[in-house]
């Protein structure tokens, strides 16, 4: 079974082609196009590349095209991307203005170009379908809540991958299996035995922590939009909502200008004085740039804040996992997040930690109660796996 996973940006199309055979899963090829102005032409070019490489003979060789859409009104999980779903995404376009519009356009064009091929989407909000309401609600009037002002949670594909893999590594095949079938059964299977408590730290271009209880996401530091929790590369993290009317009045800023500054001039870039890549921020901090050091300190503080909250909520922790560009490649940052937590049973091993760069590894000491892992994420593979499960069950 061959599944094409398409990542749609406003001017880019990236793709990966996976093949599943029995228990084997293989990445056959990957590619992409930047500065796309004509989406239909880019889709043709993608299919041409797949044919030229001998990966498919024609589009009928594809069992499905998979997508990773962000958010839609009243829709989540792994679903067929029909017109009803696309309209539900349109309804929330202003919640994810950089993401929803290109996805809606892209999926429509894919459907026109490939009418026989199922278009399947795995929503980023899917992993939080069973989160307790108290964890997801903001204290706003009911009318705001009805419009969608609540915590949704994102990075669902990545955190689900972490849930499944950490359960395997922590010798809980029952939980790994529960995770695998979450979107198929729609109701998480009952759990026998002790709770499995994991915190997943996805730290990259955008960052979030998720509490995972028995394989199910029960809270995520991203909120109603992907502009909450930790400082993101250019986007603000948590912010007191009253800062917005205050600054609008103070500097006579328009709504668009506030949105621009919070999306493009904030986060690590705002704090560090212009650097949005952790490699540059680290180099600047080592060169005694105090703003860059502050950006790192705020990032670490925020990560520990959520880690502490989730530790408390789950009454302890069995696994702490690190993933995505920043967390996979920067041992010094993992060490800072885990510093001084031995009284909570979290002990990082400096040697193992320093050796784990971009690879899966156990990085806690032998006597650490909490097992700490680096687990490289693979969001496209998660999408492909879920699409495969969807096809097998529908
Ligand atoms: P995205 O969310 O855009 O997919 P990534 O998960 O790739 O982003 O994370 C991007 C971040 O990861 C950047 O801040 C970058 O500094 C950091 N990063 C990526 N690769 C490395 C590396 N080899 N060494 C250090 N930091 C890295």
């Amino acid at each position: 079974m061959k599944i094409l996973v398409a990542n749609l940006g406003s001017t880019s199309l990236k793709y990966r082609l996976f093949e599943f055979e029995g228990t084997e899963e293989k990445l056959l090829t990957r590619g992409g196009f930047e500065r796309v102005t004509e989406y239909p032409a880019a889709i043709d070019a993608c299919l041409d590349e797949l044919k030229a490489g001998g990966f498919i003979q024609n589009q009928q060789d594809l069992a499905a095209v998979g997508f990773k859409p962000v958010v839609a009104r009243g829709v989540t999980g792994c679903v067929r991307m029909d017109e009803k779903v696309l309209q539900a995404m349109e309804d929330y376009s202003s919640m994810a203005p950089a993401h929803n519009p290109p996805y809606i356009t892209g999926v429509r064009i894919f459907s026109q170009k490939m009418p026989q091929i199922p278009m399947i989407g795995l929503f980023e909000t899917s992993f939080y379908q069973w989160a307790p309401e108290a964890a997801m609600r903001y204290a706003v009037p009911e009318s705001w809540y009805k419009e969608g002002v609540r915590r949704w949670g994102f990075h669902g594909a990545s955190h689900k991958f972490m849930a499944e893999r950490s359960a395997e590594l922590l010798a809980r095949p029952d939980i790994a299996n529960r995770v695998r079938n979450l979107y198929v059964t729609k109701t998480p299977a009952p759990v026998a035995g002790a709770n499995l408590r994991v915190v997943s730290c996805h730290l990259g271009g955008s960052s979030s922590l998720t509490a995972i209880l028995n394989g199910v996401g029960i809270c995520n530091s991203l909120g109603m939009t992907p502009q909450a929790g930790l400082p993101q590369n250019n986007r603000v993290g948590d912010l007191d909502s009253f800062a917005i009317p205050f600054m609008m009045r103070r500097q006579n800023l328009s709504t668009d200008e506030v949105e621009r500054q919070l999306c493009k001039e904030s986060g690590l870039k705002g704090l560090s004085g212009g650097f949005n890549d952790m490699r540059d921020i680290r180099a600047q901090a080592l060169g005694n740039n105090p703003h860059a050091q502050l950006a790192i300190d705020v990032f670490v503080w925020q990560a520990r804040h959520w880690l502490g909250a989730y530790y408390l909520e789950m009454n302890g922790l069995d696994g702490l996992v690190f993933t995505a560009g920043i967390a996979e490649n920067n041992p010094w940052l993992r060490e800072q997040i885990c510093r001084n937590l031995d009284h909570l049973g979290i002990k990082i091993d400096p040697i193992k930690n320093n050796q784990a760069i971009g690879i899966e590894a156990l990085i806690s000491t032998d006597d650490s109660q909490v097992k700490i892992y680096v687990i490289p994420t693979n969001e496209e593979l998660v999408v492909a796996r879920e699409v495969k499960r969807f096809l097998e069950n529908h």
Side-chain angles (χ1 to χ4, degrees):
M1 178 188 289
K2 289 177 184 166
I3 294 171
L4 179 68
V5 176
N7 192 350
L8 313 176
S10 50
T11 60
S12 68
L13 167 65
K14 293 185 194 139
Y15 68 84
R16 292 191 196 192
L17 180 67
F18 293 92
E19 181 169 46
F20 295 89
E21 238 178 58
T23 54
E24 293 272 298
E25 42 188 32
K26 220 168 35 187
L27 173 68
L28 290 181
T29 185
R30 57 190 287 184
F33 308 93
E34 304 284 348
R35 296 197 204 104
V36 171
T37 49
E38 287 287 319
Y39 237 92
I43 294 171
D44 284 339
C46 164
L47 289 172
D48 286 346
E49 282 187 4
L50 297 182
K51 286 180 206 158
F55 302 110
I56 59 169
Q57 291 192 334
N58 54 50
Q59 52 170 270
Q60 272 71 34
D61 288 348
L62 296 174
V65 183
F67 302 94
K68 193 163 63 77
V70 172
V71 67
R73 185 182 191 108
V75 179
T76 192
C78 191
V79 300
R80 210 174 278 279
M81 298 293 284
D82 56 20
E83 201 42 45
K84 219 170 95 204
V85 169
L86 294 175
Q87 276 168 21
M89 285 181 74
E90 230 153 38
D91 200 17
Y92 274 178
S93 271
S94 63
M95 220 182 257
H99 298 98
N100 273 21
Y103 259 90
I104 296 163
T105 311
V107 173
R108 284 206 175 111
I109 299 172
F110 261 101
S111 310
Q112 284 158 12
K113 288 248 157 224
M114 309 164 81
Q116 314 297 331
I117 314 298
M119 302 286 144
I120 314 290
L122 174 65
F123 276 90
E124 282 289 63
T125 50
S126 308
F127 194 47
Y128 312 101
Q129 294 174 66
W130 303 279
E133 196 173 3
M136 304 306 268
R137 287 290 289 265
Y138 295 123
V140 291
E142 185 76 7
S143 58
W144 289 42
Y145 170 68
K146 286 190 173 145
E147 291 291 352
V149 181
R150 48 157 287 182
R151 196 179 279 282
W152 293 104
F154 299 95
H155 285 152
S158 180
H159 288 301
K160 183 172 189 271
F161 188 78
M162 296 303 123
E164 182 176 336
R165 185 66 191 136
S166 63
E168 286 168 0
L169 292 167
L170 292 162
R172 287 294 299 267
D174 56 326
I175 301 292
N177 210 34
R178 189 177 200 237
V179 180
R180 264 174 229 130
N181 291 311
L182 272 182
Y183 308 151
V184 175
T185 58
K186 308 270 190 214
T187 314
V191 176
N195 280 340
L196 183 69
R197 305 155 302 177
V198 173
V199 168
S200 167
C201 307
H202 176 112
L203 311 177
S206 70
S207 302
S208 75
L209 268 71
T210 290
I212 303 171
L213 185 61
N214 294 324
V216 174
I218 60 163
C219 194
N220 176 239
S221 60
L222 294 169
M224 168 191 155
T225 73
Q227 275 78 233
L230 280 73
Q232 316 295 344
N233 53 0
N234 306 321
R235 289 171 290 125
V236 71
D238 274 355
L239 175 74
D240 185 326
S241 56
F242 263 59
I244 296 172
F246 172 79
M247 282 305 291
M248 287 177 83
R249 293 193 182 105
R250 193 102 172 164
Q251 296 194 349
N252 203 16
L253 302 177
S254 66
T255 312
D256 284 350
E257 179 55 15
V258 167
E259 190 176 276
R260 192 194 67 77
Q261 291 193 21
L262 292 177
C263 283
K264 303 233 156 87
E265 306 294 337
S266 298
L268 294 172
K269 183 180 175 193
L271 282 166
S272 70
F275 303 96
N276 67 0
D277 187 299
M278 193 52 93
R279 283 166 282 206
D280 300 330
I281 298 170
R282 170 72 163 166
Q284 287 288 323
L286 291 174
N288 291 323
N289 176 337
H291 303 291
Q293 186 58 53
L294 180 66
I296 291 171
D297 293 345
V298 172
F299 190 82
V300 169
W301 182 280
Q302 274 289 321
R304 286 165 62 91
H305 168 89
W306 291 99
L307 172 58
Y310 294 158
Y311 191 104
L312 187 88
E313 189 52 42
M314 295 192 287
N315 189 21
L317 206 58
D318 302 295
L320 173 60
V321 299
F322 287 99
T323 195
I326 294 179
E328 286 169 29
N329 296 299
N330 295 289
W332 59 271
L333 192 98
R334 299 191 295 250
E335 191 164 331
Q336 288 193 23
I337 292 172
C338 295
R339 74 171 190 274
N340 253 343
L341 297 179
D342 48 334
H343 55 295
L344 296 180
I346 297 175
K347 291 194 212 170
I348 200 161
D349 182 315
I351 295 169
K352 289 184 196 158
N353 182 40
N354 283 332
Q355 286 168 345
I357 297 183
I359 51 164
E360 184 175 292
L362 175 70
I363 57 168
S364 43
T365 61
D366 291 346
D367 66 340
S368 178
Q369 270 169 279
V370 179
K371 300 273 176 262
I372 313 173
Y373 292 98
V374 177
I375 303 176
T377 193
N378 189 340
E379 292 166 272
E380 287 78 10
L381 176 61
V382 178
V383 174
R385 282 178 180 171
E386 292 302 331
V387 170
K388 175 175 174 271
R389 278 173 205 146
F390 180 94
L391 295 173
E392 286 168 351
N393 288 282
H394 287 84

